Every structure is written in structure tokens, then in C-alpha cells.
Amino acid sequence: MQYTLEFKNITKYFPGVKALDNVSFKAYGGEVLAFLGENGAGKSTLLKTLNGDYQPDEGEYWLDGSLAHFQSPHEAIEAGVSVIYQERQILLELSVAENIYLGRMPTRAGLIDTRKANTMAQRIIDDFGLPIKATTKVKDLSIAYQQMVEIMKAYSRENLKVICFDEPTASLSDAEIDSLFAIIRKLKSEGKVIIYVSHRMSEIRTIADKVAIFKDGRYIDTVDAKTTPESQWIHMMVGRDLGDIYAELDRNKTIGEELLRVENLSSNLVEEVSFTLHKGEVLGFSGLVGAGRTEVMRAIIGADKMTGGEVYLEGKKLLLHSPHEAMKHGIVLVPEDRNELHPIC
């Protein structure tokens, strides 16, 4: 069955801000519609009004030709609408299976049938191609796998008609992204309405059929994801060409003397990492999930014990035994999981 979702004149105000301005367009089942726009363009706000997290000040939603107004995410889920946010909504002390079937665990003779739940959940896990067990507590999983549990929870709902992904790949490896895209294509073949929010244009080009462009809370247009040049996406999104944004940028002008030097840093999780950071420079660390990027940063600030190597700040050797000592020297870490309190903050 092919489902349809219509946004009709959706408007949302916050104090001093018109977050959504008369947004109207349709999303169709059997295709992936990507939302593209700068931060603050209204993409996530639109999903939250659809999902019942917010109530629109004006406008309506229509699902399969019927008015759909949800007072809460629970009502949206009951109607077949699921929104997967970038911030996870899972219970860490429960197992993977318990999170997937939370509120709808199978029963037998009036009691929860944990064995059946585990079997059903493991089947979904295997469909995703993930090396985890249904019985594992979610708190023992990586951030990436916790995000996949969130996605599997939505995927498992039998009445699913609309599924929205809000920046779902932020913490996923390439292999996990491939698994996610395979599931999205399966949902697409079943006629579901799929909305995909991302800033990664290569992902949008790969998975999306159409792209809905947003700017300053307004819907601009929907274009074909395969044939429309990315330069046109950007022009519609920001109101000017990409060359106009970066033409005057000279990356060599602001690079100064050495600020931070790391030599042969090792811990229980990384080996002999060396690099130099200069004043005015942004140094990026790239790698797959589990490659050691976070572990390097934790060792630098003293959250993990260094087993070898040296750290120099402005030429002075540092011996850091805790994040507290690092902060005294002006070195801080914004952790990967910002939903929880960390001793490294």
C-alpha cells in the first residue's frame, strides 16, 4: 500500500521567532524524501509538530486523506507515525529486546514472554546485520549501536506508515550506514512514507529520491535528488552560491605557532599517536566508529591513563592525571554523549 502525508499551512511560533512559516507540501509512500536546510531552517521543528511533541499554531496534517492531529508522540505512534531523533530515547538499564518492544512486550498466560521477545528482537537485529544480542543491556552498547536500537524499535512496529529519520547517521560507521540504508530501501518497497533529515549531501544523493529545501522556517521547493545539482540545493538553501560563501577564505592567514604537540601517545586503547596543532587551526580526526578518535582525546585530558608518550602545550610538557588538571591548563573535552553527566566535563 502507498501511503501519503500532507503538510498543510503549518506555522509554529516561539517567543520572538517564527520557526515555521506556512509550510505546505506532500510526501509520498514508496520514496525517500530528504529534508535539507541550514541549522534553524525548521526541519526538526516540523517533525516535532508532526509527532505531537509540539502543537502547530496554524495548519493541519493529513495522513492518507484523513486529518491527523496528535497531542503526543504516543498518539502519533498509535497512528503509525514514528520519528527517530538524533538524541536517543532509550532506557539504558533494559535489554535490547526490552527497548525494542517497550510497552508492547509479548505475553503468555498473562505474563511477559521474555523468550519470545528475545527471539523476535534477534530476528530484527539479524535483518540489520548487527553483531549484538537481544539480551544485552543497552548501557553496554556503543553510542552507534544504541542509535541502531532506536531505529529498530521504530522498524518493529507493525502499523508503521510514516518513519522520519532526524540525522540518524551521526554516530554510525560506514557498515552500519549501509545496513540502515538497506532497511530504508525495504521500507520504501513496502510503500512507507520515509523522511530523511541530514546535512550530509553524499548520503542524500545516495538514499533520497527527492529533496525538500527549507530556509528560515519556510518550505522552498522539492527537487529530484538524482538529477538536481548540489550547487542548486545550496543556492536554494542559503540564498547564494557556494562560491560567494568561501571565495574570500584564506586558510593560511590565521595559522600561527605551535599550540599543542602530542608525541607517541599510548593508552590501553591507542598506540603511538602523534600530531601537532597550531594556533588558529582546526585539526580534524577522521575514522570509523571504534578507531580510537575519542580514546585519544580522553588520554590527552587525563580521563584515561597514558601508558606512553608526551603532551606539550605551548612548548611546555604536561603531566595530566585528571580532566580537572587539564581544565586548569585550558584543555577541555566536549564528550560524544552529551545527554549524560560526565566526570570529564
Side-chain angles (χ1 to χ4, degrees), residues 169 177-186 196 203 206-207:
T169 62
I177 291 172
D178 289 342
S179 296
L180 172 61
F181 283 2
I183 295 300
I184 289 177
R185 292 186 180 102
K186 182 176 185 297
Y196 188 90
E203 286 184 7
T206 299
I207 196 62

Side-chain angles (χ1 to χ4, degrees), residues 94-100 117-119 121-126 130-138 140-141 145 149 152:
L94 297 185
S95 70
V96 172
E98 289 168 330
N99 269 275
I100 290 176
N118 290 336
T119 300
Q122 194 62 52
R123 190 178 301 121
I124 294 175
I125 292 168
D126 294 341
L130 301 178
I132 61 177
K133 298 296 183 182
T135 54
T136 301
K137 282 192 174 183
V138 170
D140 296 327
L141 300 178
Y145 287 145
V149 171
M152 289 188 288

Side-chain angles (χ1 to χ4, degrees), residues 73-111:
H74 178 72
E75 288 188 8
I77 290 170
E78 289 295 308
V81 177
S82 289
V83 178
I84 302 168
Y85 297 117
Q86 188 176 359
E87 303 295 341
R88 296 173 306 285
Q89 299 175 341
I90 49 180
L91 298 178
L92 298 177
E93 293 295 334
L94 297 185
S95 70
V96 172
E98 289 168 330
N99 269 275
I100 290 176
Y101 292 106
L102 186 64
R104 52 198 176 95
M105 290 282 285
T107 59
R108 183 178 181 182
L111 300 175

Side-chain angles (χ1 to χ4, degrees), residues 4 70 74 105 115 208 218 221 284 287 289-290 333 338:
T4 60
F70 309 125
H74 178 72
M105 290 282 285
R115 179 178 295 180
R218 293 180 291 109
D221 198 6
V289 174
L333 173 64
R338 293 181 287 280

Side-chain angles (χ1 to χ4, degrees), residues 12-214:
K12 179 65 181 176
Y13 295 92
F14 294 112
V17 177
K18 195 173 188 179
L20 295 172
D21 186 0
N22 199 38
V23 173
S24 298
F25 64 95
K26 287 184 179 182
Y28 298 94
E31 63 183 28
V32 179
L33 176 65
F35 283 6
L36 185 62
E38 295 181 284
N39 288 334
K43 308 181 300 295
S44 294
T45 301
L46 186 63
L47 295 186
K48 288 180 178 180
T49 59
L50 167 66
N51 198 42
D53 288 296
Y54 299 153
Q55 297 302 310
D57 294 301
E58 300 173 17
E60 299 171 338
Y61 289 95
W62 290 77
L63 180 59
D64 293 335
S66 299
L67 184 64
H69 181 78
F70 309 125
Q71 295 288 342
S72 67
H74 178 72
E75 288 188 8
I77 290 170
E78 289 295 308
V81 177
S82 289
V83 178
I84 302 168
Y85 297 117
Q86 188 176 359
E87 303 295 341
R88 296 173 306 285
Q89 299 175 341
I90 49 180
L91 298 178
L92 298 177
E93 293 295 334
L94 297 185
S95 70
V96 172
E98 289 168 330
N99 269 275
I100 290 176
Y101 292 106
L102 186 64
R104 52 198 176 95
M105 290 282 285
T107 59
R108 183 178 181 182
L111 300 175
I112 291 176
D113 191 341
T114 303
R115 179 178 295 180
K116 183 176 181 180
N118 290 336
T119 300
M120 293 163 57
Q122 194 62 52
R123 190 178 301 121
I124 294 175
I125 292 168
D126 294 341
D127 284 345
F128 275 64
L130 301 178
I132 61 177
K133 298 296 183 182
T135 54
T136 301
K137 282 192 174 183
V138 170
K139 70 176 183 179
D140 296 327
L141 300 178
S142 68
I143 301 298
Y145 287 145
Q146 289 179 13
Q147 177 72 0
M148 294 300 278
V149 171
E150 185 77 48
I151 293 168
M152 289 188 288
K153 181 168 62 175
Y155 173 77
S156 69
R157 295 180 180 124
E158 294 181 358
N159 69 331
L160 186 64
K161 299 178 181 178
V162 177
I163 184 166
C164 308
F165 299 90
D166 192 356
E167 300 282 356
T169 62
S171 60
L172 303 186
S173 69
D174 288 347
E176 291 158 349
I177 291 172
D178 289 342
S179 296
L180 172 61
F181 283 2
I183 295 300
I184 289 177
R185 292 186 180 102
K186 182 176 185 297
L187 292 168
K188 173 182 170 179
S189 69
E190 296 171 357
K192 316 296 188 188
V193 175
I194 303 167
I195 294 174
Y196 188 90
V197 180
S198 178
H199 289 98
R200 299 178 179 180
M201 294 194 180
S202 60
E203 286 184 7
I204 291 176
R205 185 73 76 183
T206 299
I207 196 62
D209 298 289
K210 295 179 180 178
V211 182
I213 311 292
F214 294 83

Side-chain angles (χ1 to χ4, degrees), residues 295-306:
E295 289 74 15
V296 169
M297 304 307 154
R298 289 179 57 90
I300 289 174
I301 69 162
D304 292 340
K305 183 179 179 181
M306 288 177 52

